[in-house]
Amino acid sequence: MKHILLTLYIALVSYCAFAQTFTFKYSENEDPLIFLKTGNVYVQFKKQTSLLGKEIFLKSLSDNGIETENINADIVKLQTSTSGFDHRNLSSILSNEIVLCSSDELIYPVDSTIQWAGNDIFVHLKSGVKIEDLLGSLSFPYTSYYNWNRYDDSEYIVSIANYDAFEYASMLLNSGNVEYAVPSFHRKGIFLQNVYRIL
C-alpha cells in the first residue's frame, strides 16, 4: 500500500511540476480557494454545434500544434502545456463562434482532482438586491439567469458565454451586492478518469 501511495504522490508531483498557483476569492467572508494551474485549457462547445463544425475547429487546433483530448461530446481538452503554444494566441482561437466558454485546467491540492469552470455561476444575492439591477449595472454578456432554489429567492445561476467565469464571478463579488459568486466546476480525478459535475 505504501508503494502505491508513493507512486501516486510522485505522479502528482510530476504532473504539477510546472504548474502555477491560481487563487480565487468567491466570498468576502471565506478564505480564497487555491488551485494549481497546469497550462492546459478546456473548451466547451455550444449545444447546437455540428459534428463538422467541431472537426473543423479541432483541425485548426492541430494545425497550430495543439493536441486535443475529447472529454465528452461538448468538451475538449487542449494540451497546451506540452505543445509550446503561446497562450496569447488562444484568444483568437477561443473567440470562434462555436465555443461557449473556456477555462484553464486547475488542480485542487486538497483532493488532487483536476477541475475547470463551466459557464454557470452560482450567486447568492445580499438582502434587497435584485438580480436584474445587478447584472444590468455590470454590463456583461450573460445569456440567462434563473432562481435555482425555490425556498430562497436570493440564490441564482447566471449563465455566460465567451467570457472568463472566474473574472465574471470576481466582478459580481466585487460589486458588493453578493454573499458569494462561484463558477460551477467540472471535476476529473487524475487517476480515476470519470468526469462528474459539482458546484
Side-chain angles (χ1 to χ4, degrees):
M1 183 65 175
K2 288 182 181 178
H3 295 295
I4 293 172
L5 291 175
L6 180 61
T7 303
L8 292 176
Y9 177 76
I10 291 170
L12 178 61
V13 169
S14 299
Y15 193 88
C16 301
F18 300 103
Q20 298 176 344
T21 302
F22 172 70
T23 305
F24 172 69
K25 189 166 180 65
Y26 66 96
S27 169
E28 295 174 352
N29 304 319
E30 300 291 336
D31 291 333
L33 298 173
I34 299 172
F35 300 99
L36 298 175
K37 191 183 285 191
T38 68
N40 293 324
V41 175
Y42 288 81
V43 171
Q44 183 172 343
F45 298 110
K46 293 177 180 174
K47 289 288 184 191
Q48 67 274 21
T49 303
S50 68
L51 185 58
L52 178 60
K54 291 176 188 175
E55 287 176 357
I56 293 171
F57 178 78
L58 295 176
K59 172 80 166 61
S60 72
L61 295 174
S62 176
D63 291 345
N64 279 282
I66 300 175
E67 294 180 28
T68 60
E69 174 189 346
N70 289 321
I71 302 301
N72 62 34
D74 297 324
I75 298 174
V76 65
K77 175 181 175 180
L78 313 186
Q79 303 275 9
T80 53
S81 64
T82 57
S83 66
F85 184 78
D86 187 343
H87 275 243
R88 289 172 294 185
N89 296 332
L90 271 179
S91 59
S92 61
I93 293 173
L94 299 180
S95 64
N96 191 297
E97 62 183 17
I98 69 170
V99 173
L100 176 64
C101 64
S102 64
S103 173
D104 289 306
E105 179 179 68
L106 304 170
I107 296 176
Y108 190 43
V110 173
D111 59 9
S112 302
T113 53
I114 295 173
Q115 50 194 339
W116 62 96
N119 70 311
D120 293 330
I121 300 172
F122 289 83
V123 179
H124 185 122
L125 301 173
K126 288 186 175 178
S127 179
V129 176
K130 296 192 180 302
I131 190 71
E132 302 87 358
D133 296 339
L134 174 59
L135 296 177
S137 70
L138 293 177
S139 301
F140 275 95
Y142 66 91
T143 57
S144 63
Y145 62 86
Y146 64 93
N147 175 242
W148 65 273
N149 184 346
R150 63 181 177 165
Y151 302 108
D152 188 343
D153 62 3
S154 63
E155 301 273 2
Y156 282 85
I157 291 178
V158 178
S159 298
I160 61 172
N162 298 110
Y163 201 80
D164 185 285
F166 290 105
E167 188 172 346
Y168 196 111
S170 294
M171 297 205 71
L172 288 165
L173 180 64
N174 292 337
S175 74
N177 292 304
V178 304
E179 297 292 343
Y180 66 77
V182 61
S184 60
F185 287 107
H186 296 271
R187 302 186 79 198
K188 181 172 73 168
I190 291 177
F191 307 107
L192 302 173
Q193 292 300 311
N194 58 314
V195 177
Y196 52 98
R197 191 160 185 186
I198 65 161
L199 170 62

